Amino acid sequence: MEKIELLYSETKQMLAQIKDAPESDELVQAIEDFLEKRDGLIKEIKPPLSETEKQQLQQVTDMEPLVMAELKRLQQAVKQELLQAKQKRAMHHSYINPYANMTIDGTYYDKRK
């Protein structure tokens, strides 16, 4: 299989795999593997291209915004999950030691004798 055909099929497969998929560790690992493989395939493509190869490359570049949008969606999901974990951890610590964050800014001094 030609490098461009392989790049096209891998991109199409990855887009189908990440399309509206929930975030998971396996999906993140699959994305990392895809990006490494894709980087290697792009480096191996040499300039004298036939017309069909040019068309396939154009289709790959047309799929690029869709892939980037899905990756951005997954990135936002991971950020949201991390934020929720931090909030849960902070709430848990406030239940364990509720007086840890007390301030002494509002100290009252009685001037009477």
Side-chain angles (χ1 to χ4, degrees):
M1 189 182 275
E2 292 290 326
K3 301 296 183 195
I4 295 176
E5 290 179 30
L6 187 59
L7 176 67
Y8 174 74
S9 66
E10 286 290 324
T11 305
K12 193 172 183 179
Q13 179 184 359
M14 180 50 65
L15 184 59
Q17 185 176 358
I18 64 174
K19 188 75 172 169
D20 299 326
E23 184 273 325
S24 68
D25 292 337
E26 295 84 21
L27 184 62
V28 172
Q29 184 62 41
I31 291 170
E32 288 177 4
D33 294 342
F34 162 71
L35 292 175
E36 287 176 15
K37 189 173 185 179
R38 178 181 140 165
D39 187 42
L41 288 172
I42 290 173
K43 287 179 181 178
E44 292 177 7
I45 295 174
K46 300 298 179 207
L49 301 174
S50 69
E51 196 60 39
T52 58
E53 290 174 336
K54 287 180 183 179
Q55 288 175 353
Q56 284 182 332
L57 256 155
Q58 183 61 38
Q59 289 175 344
V60 169
T61 56
D62 290 344
M63 283 190 274
E64 185 68 22
L66 301 173
V67 171
M68 293 306 292
E70 288 299 316
L71 292 177
K72 185 64 96 173
R73 180 188 61 81
L74 289 171
Q75 181 186 23
Q76 292 298 326
V78 169
K79 281 184 181 180
Q80 185 67 24
E81 189 176 309
L82 287 173
L83 182 63
Q84 287 176 349
K86 282 183 182 179
Q87 289 174 345
K88 283 182 182 180
R89 190 176 311 121
M91 189 61 72
H92 179 69
H93 287 300
S94 70
Y95 280 123
I96 290 175
N97 190 0
Y99 301 108
N101 295 333
M102 289 190 62
T103 62
I104 55 170
D105 291 345
T107 305
Y108 175 73
Y109 293 105
D110 190 9
K111 295 182 181 179
R112 293 182 282 168
K113 292 192 179 192

